[in-house]
Amino acid sequence: MADPIRIANCSGFFGDRLAAAREMVEGGPIDVLTGDWLAELTMLILARARMKRPGGGYARTFVAQMEQVLSTCLDHGIRVVSNAGGLDPEACAAAVEQLAGRLGLAPRIAWIGGDDLMGRLGELGLGEQALTANAYLGGWGIAEALRRGADVVVTGRVTDAALACGPAAWHHGWARDDWDALAGAVVAGHVLECGVQATGGNYSFFTEIPGWRERPRFGFPWAEVAADGSAVIGKHDGTGGEVSIGTVTAQLLYEIGPPAYLGPDVTARFDTIRLEQAGLDRVRISGVRGEPPPATLKVGVNELAGFRNTVEIALTGLDVEDKAALAQAAFWDACPWAPEDFAVVDSRVIRTDRPDPASNEQATAVWRLTVMDPDEAKVGRAFTGAMIETGLASIPGFYAPSGAPGPGRPYGVFRAAAVPAELVPQTVHLDGEAIEVPSVAPPGEVAVEPAPEPAVVAPGGPTVEAPLGRVAGARSGDKGGDANLGVFARSDEAWAWLDGFLTVERLRELLPEAAEPAIGRHRLPNLRALNFVIHGLLGEGVAASPRPDAQAKSLGEWLRARVVEIPEALLAAGVSGRETGGP
């Protein structure tokens, strides 16, 4: 049986910390260096970059990182696996090869294709208007490239978790139907994929992290994946942040749906995960069960939908609502188009003002108007000019808090589709050879039972008004046009109360924006957590959402700030404090 493989992360998104690769390679022992550069929005960004510069549809920052660490990786036998290839994995691999030549190095570089379906839109029924269309491939192409000796593996659109699952499957020699082991690696990969979100980044209880003021530069995570798929999440010693049950739980809840987490290689059952604090900055993940994956692959499709623009006017002092009404009336009177002439109009008053304000900022709310339309001229100079020309003929205290408006900019919409996995094989390109790897998984049926629930009754007795965040953490984000909101407790007693208290109806009361959309509520007692999927809250995806927080990143913290009735016993028992054990 092989020793565990230590898989490190050095990027959670396109634009993440450039020094992270060097930090992970030089900060401690690792076997594989991975990084995630691709989000749904990133594919649209790369498409626009490729339109301006053919062959430029990949994350160039990855090449910059390789310049820092490639020599060290080769010297120490560290494999590199990255999805930075984006829309042009071949061009990305060529750029790394060119870099290696300049450095006097000769790594074996593989790139993986097959995900790009732009040449097959009609054949696969994906429509004809797509700007990008990429299948989410699994980790078996990565495993094959590593098996054939690749030092660097560059992929296009694979699942985020495949960056860890592929190397683990290669290292341990797993079969394609080792469902539990594969599921464990997928869970580990899900924890790693967003970088320092697993080590304290974007964490509800950040003030409990030792040295959070002095060392806000948190270390990136790694996962030691064992032969049975269990894993230990950690970070290099001496780096900032922490790895705790709380930080790992928060990341597990990020951008998920039901407990059956679908993937191209395996369906990982998140309701079977067990967490244990295994030491300082070490969390053990075990017990993960897996089921066969669906027979289809998810396809992310981006389409260019039109153009958008936003204007903002400050509403300062008294009569905020009346000022908003006058500002809107004056704007539309000056605008050459009426609201109904635009495809989308989003008008909202953002109440950031306070009574008896002690500063100019505390006295100010904002009227924010966003318009979208296929006609670029409608959202351009004539639209923004309507705000400018009312500068002396509108509300008292008129000014634009975000400065002078600019020209309209293009935006895209995202939609998810599905295609039969058997129609989309992966192709590993190495040393001039193209090796086809099937995407379709072997058939099978597995009956998986969720982990047993904590046998604890919610405390009764008197209640007191307090923010929900005193007893619960949260992590939220986007999945296409849907918002994902995970809420977790840190004791069995707090979980029992949270489970009974936070219903869909209660969530609608606490978050009025969620009053209308359909909401899915999913229980994860093993993690003491609830996951809500608020369908359609973000419209047609991040690039098309008019919400100020288009990715729903702050949705969980808004919920935690709401004041609710909480049992005094929960607050008195200190259950809002740090975890002492795992579920």
Side-chain angles (χ1 to χ4, degrees):
M1 182 177 295
D3 292 335
I5 180 173
R6 182 176 284 194
I7 303 168
N9 173 282
C10 71
S11 176
F13 68 100
F14 187 11
D16 211 344
R17 193 158 81 216
L18 193 63
R22 175 176 287 169
E23 292 170 9
M24 297 309 288
V25 167
E26 298 179 356
I30 62 173
D31 300 307
V32 180
L33 179 70
T34 70
D36 177 20
W37 271 263
L38 302 184
E40 292 163 355
L41 179 61
T42 311
M43 303 301 277
L44 181 62
I45 293 171
L46 292 176
R48 292 175 60 188
R50 187 172 59 177
M51 291 169 64
K52 297 177 181 177
R53 184 180 62 253
Y58 63 89
R60 304 177 76 84
T61 50
F62 168 67
V63 181
Q65 285 188 317
M66 287 300 95
E67 186 169 8
Q68 298 174 6
V69 303
L70 184 57
S71 177
T72 305
C73 288
L74 293 174
D75 288 344
H76 291 82
I78 298 171
R79 309 293 183 103
V80 178
V81 178
S82 168
N83 64 10
L87 299 177
D88 287 314
E90 182 178 10
C92 184
V96 176
E97 186 171 17
Q98 185 179 32
L99 166 70
R102 292 201 309 268
L103 298 176
L105 305 173
R108 298 185 68 199
I109 303 171
W111 65 274
I112 296 176
D115 63 296
D116 190 343
L117 305 181
M118 284 296 291
R120 305 173 64 188
L121 295 178
E123 170 197 346
L124 298 173
L126 297 174
E128 301 295 337
Q129 304 303 314
L131 194 60
T132 70
N134 296 79
Y136 285 67
L137 302 179
W140 289 105
I142 295 170
E144 181 64 18
L146 294 172
R147 188 184 71 80
R148 291 174 176 263
D151 299 302
V152 179
V153 182
V154 177
T155 79
R157 176 75 273 188
V158 296
T159 65
D160 302 339
L163 300 173
C165 189
W170 155 71
H171 178 77
H172 292 297
W174 292 335
R176 293 192 67 149
D177 59 357
D178 283 335
W179 306 126
D180 292 347
L182 291 167
V186 163
V187 168
H190 182 73
V191 173
L192 293 186
E193 69 186 50
C194 290
V196 297
Q197 280 197 169
T199 62
N202 301 350
Y203 181 49
S204 293
F205 303 107
F206 68 94
T207 58
E208 298 176 2
I209 297 174
W212 64 274
R213 290 182 188 272
E214 297 79 15
R215 290 195 302 168
R217 191 181 182 89
F218 298 161
F220 275 68
W222 47 254
E224 283 185 347
V225 183
D228 64 353
S230 63
V232 173
I233 306 298
K235 65 183 185 68
H236 288 332
D237 295 341
T239 57
E242 74 170 11
V243 179
S244 66
I245 290 175
T247 64
V248 172
T249 297
Q251 177 55 27
L252 285 171
L253 295 174
Y254 187 59
E255 294 183 345
I256 65 170
Y261 185 78
L262 303 179
D265 299 323
V266 65
T267 297
R269 289 289 297 266
F270 274 46
D271 53 357
T272 63
I273 298 170
R274 293 183 178 275
L275 302 181
E276 174 190 359
Q277 194 73 46
L280 180 64
D281 293 323
R282 303 290 186 268
V283 170
R284 177 176 169 79
I285 302 174
S286 63
V288 185
R289 299 294 309 279
E291 299 171 339
T296 57
L297 297 180
K298 175 182 174 181
V299 180
V301 179
N302 280 290
E303 298 173 348
L304 190 61
F307 301 85
R308 63 181 292 167
N309 210 334
T310 297
V311 296
E312 293 183 339
I313 295 176
L315 311 168
T316 307
L318 305 177
D319 307 319
V320 165
E321 297 297 332
D322 288 338
K323 285 175 178 173
L326 175 55
Q328 292 184 64
F331 175 88
W332 288 117
D333 182 68
C335 185
W337 294 282
E340 56 268 23
D341 293 329
F342 292 92
V344 176
V345 174
D346 183 82
S347 175
R348 60 182 72 203
V349 177
I350 304 171
R351 295 299 299 261
T352 52
D353 55 309
R354 303 182 188 177
D356 190 20
S359 68
N360 204 152
E361 289 75 14
Q362 292 181 7
T364 304
V366 174
W367 173 55
R368 188 175 193 266
L369 174 67
T370 298
V371 295
M372 304 179 190
D373 200 82
D375 185 350
E376 184 177 7
K378 286 185 183 178
V379 304
R381 184 176 298 276
F383 169 76
T384 57
M387 186 199 79
I388 295 171
E389 74 175 59
T390 62
L392 301 181
S394 182
I395 61 173
F398 179 105
Y399 75 94
S402 54
R409 64 183 190 276
Y411 76 95
V413 298
F414 174 87
R415 61 182 175 87
V419 297
E422 61 190 22
L423 299 181
V424 189
Q426 306 178 45
T427 305
V428 178
H429 299 264
L430 178 64
D431 297 336
E433 184 180 1
I435 305 100
E436 186 171 291
V437 178
S439 293
V440 65
E445 292 185 8
V446 178
V448 172
E449 293 294 328
E453 300 195 17
V456 176
V457 177
T463 62
V464 63
E465 288 190 345
L468 179 61
R470 295 290 177 249
V471 295
R475 175 67 58 78
S476 57
D478 63 289
K479 292 299 289 183
D482 301 337
N484 143 250
L485 171 55
V487 188
F488 63 96
R490 299 193 294 172
S491 77
D492 291 346
E493 293 80 9
W495 156 249
W497 173 80
L498 181 69
D499 186 34
F501 173 80
L502 196 55
T503 62
V504 169
E505 292 71 25
R506 184 88 64 179
L507 185 72
R508 294 187 191 278
E509 294 173 7
L510 296 174
L511 303 182
E513 282 190 42
E516 296 298 328
I519 298 177
R521 181 183 189 266
H522 306 288
R523 300 174 71 251
L524 294 163
N526 55 310
L527 299 177
R528 304 180 184 126
L530 298 168
N531 185 52
F532 296 92
V533 179
I534 307 174
H535 296 278
L537 184 69
L538 306 180
E540 294 182 284
V542 172
S545 175
R547 296 181 79 251
D549 176 15
Q551 293 180 285
K553 299 288 190 181
S554 64
L555 196 64
E557 290 304 298
W558 174 24
L559 177 66
R560 294 183 68 241
R562 294 307 310 264
V563 174
V564 299
E565 294 283 343
I566 298 175
E568 287 184 352
L570 280 184
L571 297 172
V575 296
S576 59
R578 298 173 63 81
E579 305 90 343
T580 57

